[in-house]
Amino acid sequence: MGRRPASALLDILRGEGVDRVFGNPGTTELPFLAALADDGEAPEYVLGVHEGAVVPMADGYARATGRPAFVSLHIAAGLANGLIGLLNARRSRTPLVVTAGQQDRRHLQQDPMLSGDLVALAAPAVKAAYDVQHARDLPLALRRAFALAVRPPAGPVFLSVPMDLLAEDTEVEVPARTPPPRPAPAGGLDRAAVLLGGAARPVVVAGDAVGREDATAALVRVAEACGAPVHHQPMADCLDFPTTHPLYAGTLPPRHDAIRAALAPYDTVLVAGAHAFSPHHYSPGPALPPGLTVVQLDSDPDEIGRNFPADHGLVGALGPSLDRLAELLPQQVPPHTAKARALRAGDRHLAERTRTEAAARAAYSRAPLAPWAAAHAVAHGLPPGTAVVEEAITVGLLLRALVRLEQPGSYTHTVGGGLGWGIGAAVGRSMAQPARPVVAVLGDGCALFGLQGLWSAARYAAPVLFVVMSNGAYRTLQDTYEARGGTGPCPGTELGRLDFTQAARFFGIDAVRADSADQLRELVAGAAELTRPMLVDVPLR
């Protein structure tokens, strides 16, 4: 039995598990809004007052639910506003299905107001983009978009849908949903176990595919089976290995020379689900030291050997592959050997963590707070089970060294680099997991880019604690400027002192200024009791 185009769209959304539509509407979305209004079982429409907040809300929601989120943008202008969020989602491999209403096809050749080449505009920021021109093609294009969004490498998929297409008085067939293939382990795991088992000094790099594919527990078993220290990949987007584990060795810096130095003591590395060690700042030379045996596992075949040669590359789902590898390793590594390695690594990592804690505590002083002290207060105030959404750049690096987290989804970041993601992402995560405390740690520059997300936080009473680390500058840019020999003030990097409590109150959000580390820690500890959003302004030195 056929369905009208708009009704077919809603049928597919329900079948794909979509329970919310994240959007900011305009005239070209009116047929879609009418369909939502007429359908008693339609997904909830979650409104954002700017697309810069809408796409991050969907991003945070998709990451928390583990399924694609659906986004509705408004023609060329709305799509352009959402491009930063789409770039972040593509880099972070967040599955989204994104539509934008195109102008009525009956006068599109006349270049009507707001029209544009939506596919060309979206293409650089998404995994794939489609221009739907016939009502009969809409259901198939949507099914294809949802399937493609989750297929490794996951990412956003865009569809341009003319407004008159949804309003057509015609019937279209809705294809049945094809269940995704069952995740399967990689081939060649026996040889991987031999290579890792033959290593005298093995190490593991935990990539973000581990966290995305819920394979953290399996990676823990692999690391324990060979007694290997574990580093997070540079600029990790999520918790890929518990930071409380004795084998946890911290996050690799995003520079080839620093990665090379960190991995130099080892003879064999397992790179599990890491995006090719993408650097941030240039440094000469390769990421890996000479003579290092590389075993690389990824669900995305394009990652194998992408930026460095792999001695043994494996393609398969991370969870099943790591589970099988953990079963094979005890045949290659005697348990007493693995245990002895783990004890040595644990002692070394404990000493490093003790030094880091001491440095942070030594930074405690009167207001304004030192960045180390602020990061320490947040890390030690987090309630059990908290989901940390971090977009703090300089303070975020300190926070990563201090947080002790082990529950999946406990830490979320975006490697995309498009500022303004954090506020919306925290709102989306809270919507997906309303019983879980959410603490968003934001830089003041990042908060300014995404400030409109506070409107949605207030509108939907998202119980998020927003912590704004306010140093009055683009501090990471100043640090890099100085490191490269810049002298004198760096132009265009001073924001001045801003009162974020006033910004929060404008949107109807309770706000307070934290003038001491103890006060900040207590406020963070209270995040579990929130029933509506709250903002904490933290002036920094």
Side-chain angles (χ1 to χ4, degrees):
M1 180 178 176
R3 300 280 280 165
R4 297 290 179 85
S7 297
L9 188 158
L10 295 182
D11 284 349
I12 289 173
L13 295 190
R14 279 189 288 266
E16 296 288 348
V18 172
D19 55 4
R20 284 178 168 89
V21 172
F22 296 89
N24 180 270
T27 51
T28 54
E29 287 68 54
L30 285 176
F32 177 52
L33 298 181
L36 289 174
D38 293 341
D39 190 317
E41 298 178 351
E44 176 188 4
Y45 192 97
V46 177
L47 177 63
V49 292
H50 190 276
E51 293 84 357
V54 167
V55 180
M57 281 195 291
D59 185 314
Y61 193 79
R63 294 202 206 190
T65 61
R67 62 178 187 268
F70 187 77
V71 182
S72 175
L73 301 178
H74 174 48
I75 210 164
L79 173 58
N81 282 338
L83 284 178
I84 291 176
L86 295 179
L87 285 167
N88 286 336
R90 184 172 187 182
R91 293 285 294 191
S92 292
R93 302 191 171 186
T94 305
L96 304 176
V97 174
V98 184
T99 64
Q102 177 60 286
Q103 263 281 10
D104 193 308
R105 291 168 296 178
R106 291 169 294 188
H107 69 170
L108 197 55
Q109 287 299 319
Q110 300 172 45
D111 192 23
M113 182 179 176
L114 300 176
S115 65
D117 190 339
L118 304 189
V119 168
L121 186 60
V126 298
K127 185 176 176 182
Y130 301 102
D131 185 13
V132 183
Q133 283 294 307
H134 303 283
R136 64 178 179 271
D137 294 334
L138 178 63
L140 184 60
L142 278 168
R143 286 287 191 217
R144 185 180 299 165
F146 276 97
L148 186 58
V150 298
R151 188 178 305 144
V157 178
F158 174 77
L159 290 85
S160 169
V161 183
M163 62 183 299
D164 60 305
L165 185 151
L166 284 183
E168 278 188 21
D169 186 14
T170 186
E171 291 191 347
V172 298
E173 295 298 323
V174 178
R177 182 176 185 267
T178 301
R182 184 177 180 179
L189 289 166
D190 288 344
R191 183 175 177 227
V194 169
L195 290 172
L196 289 168
R201 300 178 308 280
V203 67
V204 175
V205 176
D208 284 329
V210 175
R212 282 195 306 269
E213 298 182 30
D214 198 21
T216 304
L219 186 62
V220 168
R221 290 192 291 274
V222 168
E224 290 175 344
C226 55
V230 180
H231 286 280
H232 265 120
Q233 73 167 67
M235 299 183 292
D237 264 358
C238 52
L239 188 74
D240 304 308
F241 195 84
T243 63
T244 55
H245 199 286
L247 286 171
Y248 181 63
T251 301
L252 291 172
R255 300 189 321 276
H256 280 180
D257 58 350
I259 297 170
R260 197 163 58 243
L263 299 183
Y266 305 101
D267 60 1
T268 303
V269 62
L270 168 64
V271 181
H275 179 51
F277 292 166
S278 298
H280 184 196
H281 301 295
Y282 171 77
S283 61
L288 302 183
L292 186 67
T293 298
V294 179
V295 178
Q296 188 178 10
L297 167 66
D298 210 289
S299 53
D300 177 9
D302 288 342
E303 286 296 340
I304 305 301
R306 176 174 177 168
N307 280 3
F308 50 81
D311 296 277
H312 187 46
L314 307 97
V315 177
L318 272 291
S321 299
L322 292 170
D323 277 333
R324 178 59 181 152
L325 187 57
E327 293 172 358
L328 294 169
L329 279 168
Q331 303 168 30
Q332 305 294 331
V333 183
H336 68 273
T337 300
K339 186 175 181 179
R341 289 174 180 169
L343 287 172
R344 289 194 298 271
D347 289 343
R348 185 169 66 251
H349 299 155
L350 178 60
E352 292 170 357
R353 285 195 289 267
T354 300
R355 286 193 294 270
T356 301
E357 286 279 338
R361 290 187 182 279
Y364 273 52
S365 64
R366 300 172 65 180
L369 294 180
W372 265 117
H376 188 272
V378 170
H380 284 261
L382 294 172
T386 297
V388 177
V389 176
E390 181 263 301
E391 193 189 21
I393 316 300
T394 49
V395 175
L397 294 176
L398 308 179
L399 184 65
R400 285 170 183 257
L402 292 165
V403 290
R404 300 290 173 254
L405 302 170
E406 54 190 20
Q407 186 175 335
S410 295
Y411 202 94
T412 310
H413 175 69
T414 181
V415 75
L419 300 187
W421 166 89
I423 293 177
V427 174
R429 176 164 283 278
S430 180
M431 287 181 171
Q433 298 175 319
R436 187 174 191 180
V438 177
V439 175
V441 183
L442 312 162
D444 48 4
C446 299
L448 288 174
F449 271 76
L451 205 59
Q452 297 95 335
L454 293 179
W455 183 92
S456 295
R459 168 72 173 263
Y460 298 101
V464 176
L465 184 71
F466 299 99
V467 181
V468 181
M469 301 293 185
S470 186
N471 57 23
Y474 294 136
R475 187 62 212 173
T476 188
L477 187 55
Q478 293 177 347
D479 289 346
T480 306
Y481 178 76
E482 293 168 8
R484 294 186 175 185
T487 57
C490 181
T493 60
E494 289 291 336
L495 301 176
R497 287 296 177 190
L498 300 168
D499 187 348
F500 281 90
T501 63
Q502 292 189 40
R505 289 171 187 143
F506 171 78
F507 289 106
I509 291 177
D510 296 334
V512 64
R513 176 169 291 159
D515 293 318
S516 72
D518 289 340
Q519 182 189 11
L520 176 56
R521 185 169 58 251
E522 290 174 5
L523 288 165
V524 172
E529 307 302 320
L530 291 178
T531 58
R532 52 179 288 107
M534 182 177 181
L535 184 142
V536 181
D537 189 2
V538 186
L540 299 181
R541 267 189 253 159

